[in-house]
Amino acid sequence: MAAVQSPTRINFGVGRAFVKPAGGAVYLPYAHCQEFNLDHKIDQKEIYDENGYPLAVFDAHRSLDLDIKHYELRLDVLANDLGQAAPVASTAAFSWDEPGTVPAATPYTVTLANGATFIAGTLELLVFVVNGGVTYPVPYAIVAAGSEVAGKAASVSALGVITFAAGDAGLKIQSTYEYGNTLGTEMSWTNQPQNSAASYAFLFAKRDKSPVDGSVGQLIIALNAVRFGGIKSAYKEGAETVYERTLKAFADPTGAIGNIQFVNTSTNNAP
């Protein structure tokens, strides 16, 4: 039996968002949304005479504001939002708290695991110094070769070889540093003129199970032209990052805004 096409709809929860860049042929996943708000506002103008209520009310400017909260972030979509070039291969990554031990005998050197592509000036060195039988984590200064001081400072070469003073022999260390890495993606961020980012198409879709026949009711909102209005990224201890994007929709060159669909699919297409 075909799904019952309901003329009314009760929605619960949120859905997914997609964008089609200007000149693009396919939609890109924008986000699995945590929250999606579409705020349609109409300015109303009134005229009065000596009476209290207006003689007439006119509908004036209209606006469509979008607010989206989501967990995932794609660099290709962000580059499109900001009017930047498409992402390319990454150039660098971090090694976090890499463990090591200063040799007990000369040479008192430790070579970083990614020393061949070590990026100078990025080493954060923590040495576990023992004093009176108690171990203390001590941030070390990075100094010129030959100026190493036990308990205080070490030097590092261009190839990621850390040299310590003889008095640091046998101590445990942790190194955090940046090194060359091309396994990821990187978006270059450059200044752009005002009103230079292209508009693009936007689509939001969600599903709800019909109480009538158990089919899946879909709500699909398609907007022909939207412009990016900003993104907020909050990175907090003990909490997932929620990205908050804002956009504004408007008419495309033909005067079309988009469309809204209610459709019920087959009963075996369960959400």
Side-chain angles (χ1 to χ4, degrees):
M1 182 177 91
V4 175
Q5 298 302 315
S6 175
T8 60
R9 184 61 47 89
I10 296 176
N11 291 306
F12 181 84
V14 73
R16 305 181 188 184
F18 304 85
V19 296
K20 184 189 290 184
V26 298
Y27 279 99
L28 300 175
Y30 203 50
H32 287 71
C33 300
Q34 181 196 31
E35 184 177 330
F36 173 75
N37 298 299
L38 178 60
D39 188 4
H40 185 194
K41 293 178 289 189
I42 302 174
D43 289 344
Q44 294 183 316
K45 306 298 181 181
E46 303 160 322
I47 59 172
Y48 294 86
D49 60 6
E50 72 274 12
N51 295 310
Y53 288 99
L55 290 172
V57 177
F58 303 96
D59 59 293
H61 296 157
R62 301 169 182 240
S63 63
L64 281 168
D65 296 321
L66 288 75
D67 178 75
I68 306 167
K69 296 180 181 179
H70 55 92
Y71 297 115
E72 301 163 342
L73 185 67
R74 289 175 59 111
L75 282 188
D76 54 352
V77 175
L78 183 61
N80 178 66
D81 282 343
L82 297 172
Q84 303 294 320
V88 296
S90 62
T91 56
F94 270 90
S95 178
W96 302 91
D97 300 330
E98 186 179 299
T101 303
V102 181
T106 186
Y108 305 106
T109 60
V110 176
T111 300
L112 298 174
N114 299 286
T117 55
F118 169 68
I119 297 177
T122 65
L123 179 62
E124 179 184 279
L125 181 61
L126 195 65
V127 180
F128 295 90
V129 175
V130 180
N131 187 359
V134 179
T135 301
Y136 298 92
V138 178
Y140 266 38
I142 306 302
V143 296
S147 301
E148 301 85 4
V149 179
K152 293 184 178 181
S155 65
V156 62
S157 74
L159 294 178
V161 178
I162 308 174
T163 300
F164 295 87
D168 289 331
L171 296 181
K172 301 292 184 181
I173 71 169
Q174 282 186 349
S175 303
T176 297
Y177 59 94
E178 198 173 9
Y179 65 95
N181 185 299
T182 59
L183 299 178
T185 55
E186 178 178 307
M187 182 197 81
S188 294
W189 207 343
T190 61
N191 203 1
Q192 300 290 321
Q194 295 184 36
N195 198 35
S196 63
S199 63
Y200 49 84
F202 178 91
L203 188 146
F204 173 76
K206 73 173 308 298
R207 302 175 291 173
D208 282 286
K209 194 168 187 176
S210 170
V212 178
D213 62 356
S215 63
V216 175
Q218 297 184 3
L219 166 66
I220 304 171
I221 301 174
L223 298 169
N224 293 1
V226 301
R227 196 175 290 277
F228 178 65
I231 185 169
K232 181 179 179 181
S233 310
Y235 301 94
K236 299 182 290 184
E237 190 280 325
E240 69 281 353
T241 297
V242 178
Y243 297 96
E244 299 183 38
R245 271 183 162 105
T246 58
L247 305 103
K248 190 177 286 287
F250 56 100
D252 69 14
T254 70
I257 303 298
N259 59 69
I260 300 177
Q261 295 184 63
F262 281 171
V263 59
N264 280 66
T265 61
S266 75
T267 55
N268 61 9
N269 183 19

